[in-house]
Structures are given as C-alpha cells and as structure tokens.
Coordinates of all heavy atoms in Angstrom, one line a residue:
M316 N 15.8 -53.7 156.6 CA 16.5 -54.6 155.7 C 17.3 -53.7 154.6 O 16.6 -52.9 153.9 CB 15.6 -55.5 155.1 CG 16.2 -56.5 154.1 SD 15.0 -57.8 153.3 CE 13.7 -57.9 154.5
N317 N 18.5 -54.0 154.3 CA 19.2 -53.3 153.3 C 19.1 -54.0 152.0 O 18.5 -55.0 152.0 CB 20.7 -53.0 153.7 CG 21.5 -54.3 153.7 OD1 21.2 -55.2 153.0 ND2 22.4 -54.3 154.7
N318 N 19.6 -53.4 151.0 CA 19.4 -54.0 149.6 C 20.1 -55.3 149.4 O 19.8 -56.1 148.5 CB 19.9 -53.1 148.5 CG 19.0 -51.9 148.4 OD1 17.9 -51.9 148.8 ND2 19.6 -50.8 147.8
T319 N 21.0 -55.7 150.3 CA 21.7 -57.0 150.1 C 21.1 -58.1 150.9 O 21.4 -59.3 150.7 CB 23.2 -56.9 150.5 OG1 23.3 -56.5 151.9 CG2 24.0 -55.9 149.6
E320 N 20.2 -57.8 151.8 CA 19.5 -58.8 152.6 C 18.2 -59.3 151.8 O 17.6 -58.6 151.0 CB 19.0 -58.2 153.9 CG 20.2 -57.9 154.8 CD 19.6 -57.4 156.1 OE1 19.0 -58.2 156.9 OE2 19.7 -56.1 156.3
H321 N 17.9 -60.6 152.0 CA 16.7 -61.2 151.3 C 15.7 -61.7 152.3 O 16.2 -62.3 153.3 CB 17.2 -62.3 150.3 CG 18.1 -61.9 149.3 ND1 17.7 -61.3 148.2 CD2 19.5 -62.0 149.2 CE1 18.8 -61.0 147.4 NE2 19.9 -61.4 148.1
P322 N 14.5 -61.4 152.2 CA 13.5 -61.8 153.1 C 13.3 -63.4 153.1 O 12.8 -63.8 154.2 CB 12.2 -61.2 152.7 CG 12.5 -61.0 151.2 CD 13.9 -60.7 151.0
L323 N 13.6 -64.0 152.0 CA 13.4 -65.5 152.0 C 14.9 -66.2 151.7 O 15.7 -65.5 151.1 CB 12.6 -65.9 150.9 CG 11.1 -65.4 151.0 CD1 10.4 -65.7 149.8 CD2 10.5 -66.0 152.3
P324 N 15.1 -67.2 152.3 CA 16.4 -67.9 152.1 C 16.6 -68.3 150.6 O 15.6 -68.7 149.9 CB 16.5 -69.1 153.0 CG 15.0 -69.4 153.2 CD 14.2 -68.1 153.1
I325 N 17.8 -68.2 150.2 CA 18.1 -68.7 148.7 C 18.5 -70.2 148.9 O 19.5 -70.5 149.6 CB 19.2 -67.8 148.2 CG1 18.9 -66.5 148.1 CG2 19.5 -68.4 146.8 CD1 17.6 -66.0 147.3
I326 N 17.8 -71.1 148.2 CA 18.1 -72.4 148.3 C 18.9 -72.8 147.0 O 18.5 -72.5 146.0 CB 16.8 -73.3 148.4 CG1 16.1 -72.9 149.7 CG2 17.1 -74.8 148.4 CD1 14.7 -73.5 149.9
G327 N 20.1 -73.6 147.3 CA 20.8 -74.0 146.1 C 21.7 -73.0 145.5 O 22.1 -73.2 144.3
G328 N 22.1 -71.9 146.1 CA 22.9 -71.0 145.6 C 22.7 -69.6 146.1 O 21.8 -69.3 146.9
S329 N 23.5 -68.7 145.6 CA 23.4 -67.3 146.0 C 22.3 -66.6 145.1 O 22.0 -67.1 144.1 CB 24.7 -66.6 146.0 OG 25.0 -66.3 144.6
A330 N 21.9 -65.4 145.6 CA 20.9 -64.7 144.9 C 21.5 -64.1 143.6 O 20.8 -63.9 142.6 CB 20.4 -63.5 145.7
N331 N 22.8 -64.0 143.5 CA 23.4 -63.4 142.3 C 23.8 -64.5 141.3 O 24.2 -64.2 140.1 CB 24.7 -62.6 142.6 CG 24.3 -61.4 143.4 OD1 23.2 -60.9 143.2 ND2 25.1 -60.9 144.3
A332 N 23.8 -65.8 141.6 CA 24.2 -66.8 140.7 C 23.1 -67.0 139.7 O 21.8 -67.0 140.0 CB 24.3 -68.2 141.5
P333 N 23.5 -67.2 138.4 CA 22.4 -67.5 137.4 C 21.6 -68.8 137.7 O 22.2 -69.8 138.1 CB 23.2 -67.6 136.1 CG 24.5 -67.8 136.5 CD 24.8 -67.4 137.9
Q334 N 20.3 -68.7 137.5 CA 19.5 -69.9 137.7 C 19.6 -70.8 136.5 O 19.6 -70.3 135.3 CB 18.0 -69.4 138.0 CG 17.8 -68.7 139.2 CD 16.4 -68.3 139.4 OE1 15.6 -68.6 138.6 NE2 16.1 -67.6 140.5
E335 N 19.5 -72.1 136.8 CA 19.5 -73.1 135.6 C 18.2 -72.9 134.9 O 17.1 -72.9 135.6 CB 19.8 -74.4 136.1 CG 21.2 -74.6 136.5 CD 21.5 -76.1 136.8 OE1 20.9 -77.0 136.1 OE2 22.3 -76.4 137.7
S336 N 18.1 -73.1 133.7 CA 16.9 -73.1 132.9 C 16.4 -74.5 132.7 O 17.2 -75.4 132.5 CB 17.2 -72.4 131.6 OG 15.9 -72.4 130.8
L337 N 15.2 -74.6 132.8 CA 14.5 -76.0 132.5 C 14.2 -76.1 131.0 O 13.7 -77.2 130.6 CB 13.2 -76.1 133.3 CG 13.5 -76.1 134.8 CD1 12.2 -76.2 135.5 CD2 14.4 -77.2 135.3
I338 N 14.5 -75.0 130.2 CA 14.2 -75.0 128.7 C 15.4 -75.3 128.0 O 16.6 -74.8 128.4 CB 13.7 -73.7 128.4 CG1 12.4 -73.3 129.2 CG2 13.5 -73.6 126.8 CD1 12.0 -71.9 128.9
E339 N 15.4 -76.1 127.1 CA 16.5 -76.4 126.2 C 16.5 -75.4 125.0 O 15.4 -75.2 124.4 CB 16.6 -77.8 125.6 CG 16.7 -78.9 126.7 CD 16.9 -80.2 126.1 OE1 17.3 -80.4 125.0 OE2 16.5 -81.2 126.8
Y340 N 17.6 -74.8 124.7 CA 17.7 -73.8 123.7 C 18.4 -74.3 122.5 O 19.4 -75.1 122.7 CB 18.4 -72.5 124.2 CG 17.6 -71.9 125.3 CD1 18.1 -72.0 126.7 CD2 16.4 -71.2 125.2 CE1 17.4 -71.5 127.7 CE2 15.7 -70.6 126.2 CZ 16.2 -70.8 127.4 OH 15.6 -70.3 128.6
P341 N 18.1 -74.0 121.2 CA 16.9 -73.3 120.9 C 15.7 -74.2 120.9 O 15.8 -75.6 120.8 CB 17.1 -72.9 119.5 CG 18.1 -73.8 118.9 CD 18.8 -74.3 120.1
S342 N 14.5 -73.7 121.2 CA 13.3 -74.4 121.1 C 12.0 -73.6 120.8 O 12.0 -72.4 121.0 CB 13.0 -75.2 122.5 OG 12.8 -74.2 123.5
A343 N 10.9 -74.3 120.3 CA 9.7 -73.5 120.0 C 9.1 -73.3 121.4 O 8.9 -74.2 122.2 CB 8.8 -74.3 119.2
F344 N 8.8 -72.0 121.7 CA 8.2 -71.6 123.0 C 7.0 -70.8 122.8 O 7.0 -69.6 122.3 CB 9.3 -70.8 123.7 CG 9.0 -70.5 125.2 CD1 9.3 -71.5 126.1 CD2 8.3 -69.4 125.5 CE1 9.0 -71.2 127.5 CE2 8.0 -69.1 126.8 CZ 8.3 -70.2 127.8
P345 N 5.8 -71.4 123.3 CA 4.5 -70.6 123.1 C 4.3 -69.7 124.2 O 4.6 -69.9 125.3 CB 3.5 -71.7 123.2 CG 4.1 -72.8 123.9 CD 5.6 -72.7 123.6
I346 N 3.7 -68.5 123.9 CA 3.5 -67.5 124.8 C 2.0 -66.9 124.5 O 1.7 -66.6 123.3 CB 4.4 -66.2 124.7 CG1 5.9 -66.6 125.0 CG2 4.0 -65.1 125.7 CD1 6.8 -65.6 124.6
K347 N 1.2 -66.9 125.5 CA -0.2 -66.4 125.4 C -0.3 -65.1 125.8 O 0.2 -64.7 127.0 CB -1.1 -67.4 126.1 CG -2.6 -67.0 125.8 CD -3.6 -68.0 126.3 CE -5.0 -67.7 126.0 NZ -5.9 -68.7 126.4
V348 N -0.9 -64.2 125.0 CA -1.0 -62.7 125.3 C -2.5 -62.4 125.3 O -3.2 -62.7 124.3 CB -0.2 -61.9 124.4 CG1 -0.3 -60.4 124.7 CG2 1.3 -62.3 124.2
M349 N -2.9 -61.8 126.3 CA -4.4 -61.3 126.3 C -4.5 -59.8 126.4 O -3.6 -59.1 127.0 CB -5.1 -61.8 127.7 CG -5.0 -63.3 127.9 SD -6.2 -64.3 126.8 CE -7.8 -63.6 127.4
G350 N -5.5 -59.3 125.6 CA -5.7 -57.9 125.5 C -7.2 -57.6 125.0 O -7.8 -58.5 124.6
R351 N -7.5 -56.3 125.0 CA -8.8 -55.9 124.5 C -8.8 -56.2 123.0 O -7.8 -56.1 122.3 CB -9.0 -54.4 124.6 CG -9.0 -53.9 126.1 CD -10.3 -54.1 126.8 NE -11.4 -53.4 126.2 CZ -12.7 -53.6 126.6 NH1 -13.0 -54.6 127.4 NH2 -13.7 -53.0 126.0
H352 N -10.0 -56.7 122.5 CA -10.1 -57.0 121.1 C -10.3 -55.8 120.3 O -11.4 -55.2 120.3 CB -11.2 -58.0 121.0 CG -11.3 -58.6 119.6 ND1 -12.5 -59.0 119.0 CD2 -10.3 -59.0 118.8 CE1 -12.2 -59.5 117.8 NE2 -10.9 -59.6 117.7
H353 N -9.2 -55.3 119.6 CA -9.5 -54.1 118.7 C -8.4 -54.2 117.7 O -7.4 -54.9 117.8 CB -9.4 -52.8 119.4 CG -8.2 -52.5 120.2 ND1 -7.1 -52.1 119.6 CD2 -7.9 -52.6 121.6 CE1 -6.1 -51.9 120.6 NE2 -6.6 -52.2 121.8
D354 N -8.7 -53.4 116.6 CA -7.7 -53.4 115.5 C -6.3 -53.0 116.0 O -6.1 -52.1 116.8 CB -8.1 -52.4 114.5 CG -9.4 -52.7 113.7 OD1 -9.7 -53.8 113.8 OD2 -10.0 -51.8 113.1
G355 N -5.3 -53.7 115.4 CA -4.0 -53.4 115.8 C -3.3 -54.2 116.8 O -2.1 -54.2 116.9
F356 N -4.1 -54.9 117.5 CA -3.7 -55.7 118.7 C -2.7 -56.8 118.2 O -1.6 -57.0 118.6 CB -4.7 -56.3 119.6 CG -4.3 -57.1 120.7 CD1 -3.5 -56.6 121.7 CD2 -4.6 -58.4 120.8 CE1 -3.0 -57.3 122.8 CE2 -4.2 -59.2 122.0 CZ -3.5 -58.6 122.9
V357 N -3.3 -57.6 117.3 CA -2.4 -58.8 116.8 C -1.2 -58.3 116.1 O -0.1 -58.8 116.2 CB -3.3 -59.7 115.8 CG1 -2.5 -60.8 115.3 CG2 -4.5 -60.2 116.6
G358 N -1.2 -57.2 115.3 CA -0.1 -56.7 114.6 C 0.9 -56.2 115.6 O 2.1 -56.4 115.4
A359 N 0.5 -55.6 116.7 CA 1.4 -55.1 117.7 C 2.2 -56.3 118.4 O 3.4 -56.3 118.6 CB 0.7 -54.3 118.8
I360 N 1.4 -57.4 118.6 CA 2.0 -58.5 119.3 C 3.1 -59.2 118.4 O 4.2 -59.6 118.7 CB 1.0 -59.6 119.8 CG1 0.1 -58.9 120.8 CG2 1.6 -60.8 120.3 CD1 0.6 -58.2 121.9
T361 N 2.6 -59.3 117.1 CA 3.6 -60.0 116.1 C 4.8 -59.2 115.8 O 5.9 -59.7 115.7 CB 2.8 -60.4 114.8 OG1 2.3 -59.2 114.2 CG2 1.7 -61.4 115.0
Q362 N 4.6 -57.8 115.9 CA 5.8 -57.0 115.7 C 6.9 -57.2 116.8 O 8.0 -57.2 116.6 CB 5.3 -55.5 115.6 CG 6.5 -54.6 115.3 CD 6.0 -53.1 115.2 OE1 4.8 -52.8 115.5 NE2 6.8 -52.2 114.8
L363 N 6.3 -57.2 118.1 CA 7.2 -57.4 119.2 C 7.9 -58.8 119.0 O 9.0 -59.0 119.4 CB 6.3 -57.4 120.5 CG 6.2 -56.0 121.1 CD1 5.2 -56.1 122.2 CD2 7.4 -55.3 121.5
A364 N 7.1 -59.8 118.7 CA 7.7 -61.1 118.6 C 8.9 -61.2 117.5 O 9.9 -61.7 117.8 CB 6.6 -62.2 118.1
R365 N 8.7 -60.5 116.5 CA 9.7 -60.4 115.4 C 10.9 -59.6 115.9 O 12.1 -59.9 115.5 CB 9.2 -59.7 114.1 CG 8.4 -60.7 113.3 CD 8.2 -60.0 111.9 NE 7.3 -60.9 111.2 CZ 6.0 -60.6 111.0 NH1 5.5 -59.5 111.4 NH2 5.3 -61.4 110.3
Q366 N 10.7 -58.6 116.8 CA 11.8 -57.9 117.4 C 12.8 -58.9 118.2 O 14.0 -58.6 118.1 CB 11.3 -56.9 118.4 CG 11.4 -55.4 118.0 CD 10.9 -54.6 119.1 OE1 9.6 -54.3 119.2 NE2 11.8 -54.1 119.9
F367 N 12.2 -59.8 118.8 CA 13.0 -60.7 119.7 C 13.3 -62.0 119.0 O 14.2 -62.8 119.4 CB 12.3 -60.9 121.0 CG 12.3 -59.6 121.8 CD1 11.1 -58.8 121.7 CD2 13.3 -59.3 122.6 CE1 11.2 -57.5 122.4 CE2 13.3 -58.1 123.3 CZ 12.3 -57.3 123.3
D368 N 12.6 -62.3 117.9 CA 12.9 -63.5 117.1 C 12.7 -63.2 115.7 O 11.5 -63.2 115.2 CB 11.8 -64.7 117.5 CG 11.9 -65.9 116.7 OD1 12.9 -66.1 115.9 OD2 11.1 -66.8 116.8
P369 N 13.8 -63.0 115.0 CA 13.7 -62.6 113.6 C 13.1 -63.7 112.7 O 12.6 -63.4 111.5 CB 15.2 -62.3 113.2 CG 15.9 -62.0 114.5 CD 15.1 -62.8 115.5
T370 N 13.1 -65.0 113.2 CA 12.6 -66.1 112.4 C 11.1 -66.3 112.7 O 10.5 -67.2 112.2 CB 13.4 -67.4 112.7 OG1 13.1 -67.7 114.1 CG2 14.9 -67.2 112.5
F371 N 10.5 -65.4 113.5 CA 9.1 -65.6 113.9 C 8.2 -65.7 112.6 O 8.3 -64.9 111.8 CB 8.6 -64.4 114.8 CG 7.1 -64.5 115.2 CD1 6.7 -65.5 116.0 CD2 6.3 -63.6 114.6 CE1 5.4 -65.5 116.3 CE2 4.9 -63.6 114.9 CZ 4.4 -64.6 115.8
D372 N 7.3 -66.7 112.7 CA 6.4 -66.9 111.6 C 5.0 -66.5 112.0 O 4.3 -67.2 112.7 CB 6.4 -68.4 111.1 CG 5.6 -68.7 110.0 OD1 4.8 -67.8 109.4 OD2 5.4 -69.9 109.7
A373 N 4.5 -65.4 111.5 CA 3.1 -64.9 111.9 C 2.1 -65.8 111.4 O 1.0 -65.8 112.0 CB 2.9 -63.5 111.2
S374 N 2.2 -66.8 110.5 CA 1.2 -67.7 110.2 C 0.9 -68.7 111.2 O -0.1 -69.4 111.2 CB 1.6 -68.4 108.8 OG 2.6 -69.3 109.0
T375 N 1.8 -68.8 112.2 CA 1.5 -69.7 113.3 C 0.7 -69.1 114.5 O 0.4 -69.8 115.5 CB 2.9 -70.2 113.8 OG1 3.6 -69.1 114.5 CG2 3.7 -70.9 112.8
V376 N 0.4 -67.9 114.4 CA -0.4 -67.1 115.5 C -1.7 -67.8 115.6 O -2.5 -68.0 114.6 CB -0.5 -65.6 115.1 CG1 -1.5 -64.9 116.1 CG2 0.9 -65.0 115.1
E377 N -2.2 -68.1 116.9 CA -3.4 -68.6 117.1 C -4.3 -67.6 117.8 O -3.8 -66.8 118.8 CB -3.3 -69.8 118.0 CG -2.6 -71.0 117.3 CD -2.4 -72.1 118.2 OE1 -3.2 -72.5 119.1 OE2 -1.3 -72.8 118.1
L378 N -5.5 -67.4 117.4 CA -6.4 -66.4 118.1 C -7.6 -67.0 118.7 O -8.1 -68.0 118.2 CB -6.9 -65.5 117.1 CG -5.8 -64.7 116.2 CD1 -6.6 -63.8 115.1 CD2 -4.9 -63.9 117.1
R379 N -8.0 -66.6 119.9 CA -9.1 -67.1 120.7 C -9.8 -65.9 121.3 O -9.3 -65.4 122.3 CB -8.7 -68.1 121.7 CG -9.9 -68.5 122.6 CD -9.4 -69.6 123.6 NE -10.1 -70.8 123.1 CZ -9.8 -72.0 123.5 NH1 -8.9 -72.2 124.2 NH2 -10.4 -73.1 123.0
P380 N -11.0 -65.5 120.8 CA -11.8 -64.4 121.4 C -12.5 -64.8 122.6 O -12.7 -66.0 122.7 CB -12.7 -64.0 120.3 CG -12.9 -65.2 119.4 CD -11.6 -66.0 119.5
S381 N -12.7 -63.9 123.5 CA -13.3 -64.2 124.7 C -14.9 -64.5 124.4 O -15.3 -64.2 123.3 CB -13.3 -63.1 125.7 OG -14.0 -61.9 125.2
G382 N -15.6 -65.0 125.4 CA -16.9 -65.4 125.2 C -17.8 -64.2 124.6 O -18.6 -64.4 123.7
K383 N -17.6 -63.0 125.1 CA -18.3 -61.8 124.7 C -17.7 -61.1 123.6 O -18.2 -60.0 123.0 CB -18.7 -60.9 125.9 CG -19.6 -61.5 127.0 CD -19.9 -60.5 128.0 CE -20.7 -61.1 129.0 NZ -21.1 -60.2 130.1
G384 N -16.4 -61.5 123.3 CA -15.7 -60.7 122.2 C -15.0 -59.6 122.6 O -14.5 -58.9 121.6
N385 N -15.0 -59.3 123.8 CA -14.3 -58.0 124.2 C -12.8 -58.1 124.3 O -12.0 -57.2 124.3 CB -14.9 -57.5 125.6 CG -16.3 -57.1 125.6 OD1 -16.8 -56.7 124.6 ND2 -17.0 -57.3 126.6
Y386 N -12.4 -59.4 124.5 CA -10.8 -59.6 124.7 C -10.5 -60.7 123.8 O -11.3 -61.4 123.2 CB -10.6 -60.2 126.1 CG -10.8 -59.0 127.2 CD1 -12.0 -58.9 127.8 CD2 -9.7 -58.2 127.6 CE1 -12.2 -57.9 128.8 CE2 -9.9 -57.2 128.5 CZ -11.2 -57.0 129.0 OH -11.3 -56.0 130.0
L387 N -9.2 -60.7 123.5 CA -8.6 -61.6 122.5 C -7.4 -62.2 123.1 O -6.5 -61.5 123.6 CB -8.3 -60.9 121.2 CG -7.8 -61.7 120.1 CD1 -8.8 -62.7 119.5 CD2 -7.3 -60.8 118.9
G388 N -7.4 -63.6 123.0 CA -6.1 -64.3 123.3 C -5.4 -64.5 122.1 O -5.8 -65.1 121.1
V389 N -4.0 -64.1 122.1 CA -3.2 -64.4 121.0 C -2.0 -65.3 121.5 O -1.2 -64.9 122.4 CB -2.6 -63.1 120.5 CG1 -1.6 -63.3 119.3 CG2 -3.7 -62.1 120.1
T390 N -1.8 -66.5 120.9 CA -0.7 -67.3 121.2 C 0.3 -67.2 120.1 O 0.0 -67.5 119.0 CB -1.2 -68.8 121.4 OG1 -2.2 -68.9 122.4 CG2 -0.1 -69.7 121.7
I391 N 1.5 -66.8 120.5 CA 2.6 -66.7 119.6 C 3.6 -67.8 120.0 O 3.7 -68.2 121.1 CB 3.3 -65.3 119.6 CG1 3.8 -65.0 121.0 CG2 2.4 -64.2 119.1 CD1 4.6 -63.7 121.1
T392 N 4.3 -68.4 119.0 CA 5.4 -69.4 119.3 C 6.6 -68.9 118.7 O 6.8 -68.6 117.5 CB 4.9 -70.7 118.6 OG1 3.7 -71.2 119.2 CG2 6.0 -71.8 119.0
V393 N 7.5 -68.5 119.6 CA 8.8 -67.9 119.2 C 9.8 -69.1 119.3 O 9.7 -70.0 120.0 CB 9.2 -66.7 120.1 CG1 8.2 -65.6 119.8 CG2 9.3 -67.0 121.5
T394 N 11.0 -68.8 118.6 CA 12.2 -69.7 118.8 C 12.9 -69.1 119.9 O 13.6 -68.1 119.8 CB 12.9 -69.8 117.6 OG1 12.1 -70.2 116.5 CG2 14.2 -70.7 117.7
A395 N 12.9 -69.8 121.1 CA 13.7 -69.3 122.3 C 15.1 -69.7 122.1 O 15.5 -70.8 121.9 CB 13.1 -69.9 123.5
T396 N 16.0 -68.7 122.2 CA 17.4 -69.0 122.1 C 18.1 -68.8 123.5 O 19.3 -69.2 123.5 CB 18.0 -68.1 121.1 OG1 17.8 -66.7 121.3 CG2 17.4 -68.4 119.6
S397 N 17.5 -68.1 124.4 CA 18.2 -67.9 125.7 C 17.1 -67.4 126.7 O 16.1 -66.9 126.3 CB 19.3 -66.9 125.6 OG 18.8 -65.6 125.4
R398 N 17.4 -67.5 127.9 CA 16.6 -67.0 129.0 C 16.5 -65.5 128.9 O 15.4 -64.9 129.2 CB 17.1 -67.5 130.3 CG 16.2 -66.9 131.3 CD 16.4 -67.5 132.7 NE 15.4 -66.9 133.6 CZ 15.3 -67.4 134.8 NH1 15.8 -68.4 135.2 NH2 14.4 -66.7 135.7
E399 N 17.6 -64.9 128.5 CA 17.6 -63.4 128.5 C 16.7 -62.9 127.3 O 16.0 -62.0 127.6 CB 19.0 -62.9 128.2 CG 20.1 -63.1 129.3 CD 20.5 -64.5 129.5 OE1 20.5 -65.4 128.6 OE2 21.1 -64.9 130.6
Q400 N 16.6 -63.7 126.3 CA 15.7 -63.4 125.2 C 14.3 -63.4 125.6 O 13.5 -62.4 125.4 CB 15.9 -64.2 123.9 CG 14.9 -64.1 122.8 CD 14.6 -65.3 122.1 OE1 14.7 -66.5 122.7 NE2 14.2 -65.2 120.9
L401 N 13.9 -64.4 126.2 CA 12.5 -64.7 126.7 C 12.2 -63.6 127.8 O 11.1 -63.1 127.8 CB 12.4 -66.1 127.3 CG 12.4 -67.2 126.2 CD1 12.2 -68.5 126.9 CD2 11.2 -67.0 125.2
D402 N 13.1 -63.4 128.7 CA 12.8 -62.4 129.7 C 12.6 -61.0 129.1 O 11.6 -60.2 129.5 CB 14.0 -62.3 130.7 CG 14.1 -63.5 131.7 OD1 13.1 -64.3 131.7 OD2 15.2 -63.6 132.4
A403 N 13.4 -60.6 128.1 CA 13.3 -59.3 127.5 C 11.9 -59.2 126.7 O 11.3 -58.3 126.8 CB 14.4 -59.0 126.5
L404 N 11.5 -60.4 126.0 CA 10.3 -60.4 125.4 C 9.1 -60.3 126.3 O 8.2 -59.5 126.1 CB 10.2 -61.7 124.5 CG 8.9 -62.0 123.8 CD1 8.5 -60.7 122.8 CD2 8.9 -63.2 122.9
Y405 N 9.2 -61.0 127.4 CA 8.1 -60.9 128.4 C 8.0 -59.4 129.0 O 6.9 -59.0 129.0 CB 8.3 -61.9 129.6 CG 7.7 -63.2 129.4 CD1 8.3 -64.3 128.7 CD2 6.4 -63.5 129.8 CE1 7.6 -65.5 128.5 CE2 5.8 -64.7 129.6 CZ 6.4 -65.6 129.0 OH 5.8 -66.9 128.8
R406 N 9.1 -58.8 129.2 CA 9.1 -57.4 129.7 C 8.5 -56.5 128.7 O 7.6 -55.7 129.0 CB 10.6 -57.0 130.1 CG 11.0 -57.5 131.4 CD 12.3 -56.7 131.9 NE 13.4 -56.9 131.0 CZ 14.2 -58.0 131.1 NH1 14.1 -59.0 132.0 NH2 15.2 -58.1 130.1
A407 N 8.8 -56.7 127.4 CA 8.3 -55.9 126.3 C 6.8 -56.1 126.2 O 6.0 -55.0 126.0 CB 9.0 -56.1 125.0
L408 N 6.3 -57.4 126.2 CA 4.9 -57.6 126.1 C 4.1 -57.0 127.3 O 3.1 -56.4 127.1 CB 4.7 -59.1 126.1 CG 5.1 -59.7 124.7 CD1 5.1 -61.3 124.9 CD2 4.2 -59.3 123.6
T409 N 4.6 -57.2 128.5 CA 3.9 -56.8 129.7 C 3.8 -55.2 129.7 O 2.9 -54.7 130.3 CB 4.4 -57.4 131.0 OG1 5.8 -57.0 131.1 CG2 4.2 -58.9 131.1
A410 N 4.8 -54.6 129.2 CA 4.8 -53.1 129.1 C 4.0 -52.5 128.0 O 3.8 -51.3 128.1 CB 6.4 -52.6 129.0
H411 N 3.6 -53.2 127.1 CA 2.9 -52.8 126.0 C 1.4 -52.3 126.5 O 0.7 -53.0 127.2 CB 2.7 -53.8 124.9 CG 2.3 -53.2 123.6 ND1 0.9 -52.8 123.3 CD2 3.0 -52.9 122.5 CE1 0.9 -52.3 122.1 NE2 2.0 -52.3 121.6
P412 N 1.0 -51.2 126.1 CA -0.3 -50.6 126.6 C -1.5 -51.3 126.2 O -2.6 -51.3 127.0 CB -0.4 -49.2 126.1 CG 0.6 -49.1 124.9 CD 1.7 -50.2 125.2
M413 N -1.5 -52.2 125.1 CA -2.6 -52.9 124.8 C -2.7 -54.3 125.4 O -3.7 -55.0 125.4 CB -2.7 -53.1 123.2 CG -3.0 -52.0 122.4 SD -3.3 -52.5 120.7 CE -1.8 -51.6 119.9
V414 N -1.7 -54.7 126.1 CA -1.6 -56.0 126.7 C -2.1 -56.0 128.2 O -1.7 -55.1 128.9 CB -0.2 -56.6 126.7 CG1 0.0 -57.9 127.4 CG2 0.3 -56.8 125.2
K415 N -3.0 -56.9 128.4 CA -3.5 -57.0 129.8 C -2.8 -58.1 130.7 O -2.4 -58.0 131.9 CB -5.0 -57.4 129.8 CG -5.9 -56.3 129.2 CD -5.8 -55.1 130.0 CE -6.8 -54.1 129.3 NZ -6.6 -52.7 129.9
V416 N -2.5 -59.3 130.0 CA -1.8 -60.4 130.6 C -1.0 -61.2 129.7 O -1.3 -61.3 128.5 CB -3.0 -61.5 131.2 CG1 -2.3 -62.6 131.8 CG2 -3.9 -60.7 132.1
V417 N 0.2 -61.7 130.2 CA 1.1 -62.5 129.4 C 1.3 -63.8 130.2 O 1.6 -63.7 131.3 CB 2.4 -61.8 129.1 CG1 3.4 -62.7 128.4 CG2 2.3 -60.5 128.4
L418 N 1.1 -64.9 129.6 CA 1.3 -66.2 130.2 C 2.3 -67.0 129.4 O 2.3 -67.0 128.3 CB -0.1 -67.0 130.2 CG -1.3 -66.3 130.8 CD1 -2.5 -67.1 130.6 CD2 -0.9 -66.2 132.3

C-alpha cells in the first residue's frame, strides 16, 4: 500500500478534507491528565495549559490522587478556540515526560 491509499474507507469526504468539529468555539474544555505524583507535575501541566490558552486560570485546576497516592489526576479547563489549538495542546501534553495519560 502506498502513502495515498487508506486501509479503511473514508465516509463522508476525502481523507484530506477537514473534519467538522462537534465543539463550538470558544468554549470551556476540560482535559484530564494523569502522571506520577511528585513535585513539579501540577506546575508543568499548568504551564503547558497557559502556553496554549493565555487566559487559563490555574485556580480552576482539580486534583485527584490515586488510591495509593502514587499517581495524580489533574483536570485543567482551557478555553478552546479551535481544533488546531486543542490538537497542539494534546500533542504537547502527551509528549511531556511526566505525563502518562491524557483524556
């Protein structure tokens, strides 16, 4: 298969056509980030959030430690302005060495 062939059929358009978003922009968009519970984790996540949303309010961050306290769930709510912004934020979060999962 060459680079232009697709293993699955594209329904409702071509592979290069932009997909319609189900999100209305701008809107408050929560993102849950999981990682090992250690110093600097929350700060790193909020710093990334501010990079992609200059209006991000760190006072809205919600924390939930795991049962044994080894991991920490951090929910950030960013102001989503475009799909590109959210995609870039997800890529930055998943690439961060302290992050295990992004939902």
Side-chain angles (χ1 to χ4, degrees):
M316 178 181 331
N317 67 35
N318 289 343
T319 59
E320 293 180 73
H321 299 281
L323 299 174
I325 304 298
I326 299 172
S329 74
N331 296 329
Q334 295 179 358
E335 285 188 36
S336 178
L337 300 177
I338 302 169
E339 290 186 31
Y340 300 103
S342 67
F344 192 84
I346 300 172
K347 186 169 186 175
V348 183
M349 302 284 295
R351 300 278 299 164
H352 192 216
H353 60 79
D354 292 339
F356 180 62
V357 176
I360 300 309
T361 57
Q362 183 179 10
L363 278 173
R365 280 194 188 104
Q366 249 182 279
F367 293 91
D368 175 12
T370 66
F371 176 72
D372 181 4
S374 71
T375 64
V376 171
E377 297 174 35
L378 306 176
R379 174 177 249 164
S381 66
K383 293 183 180 180
N385 295 328
Y386 292 90
L387 183 64
V389 178
T390 302
I391 57 172
T392 301
V393 297
T394 300
T396 57
S397 69
R398 178 165 181 173
E399 292 77 19
Q400 173 215 27
L401 290 177
D402 287 347
L404 176 54
Y405 269 90
R406 280 191 299 273
L408 287 167
T409 57
H411 197 282
M413 286 192 245
V414 173
K415 299 293 182 193
V416 178
V417 179
L418 305 171

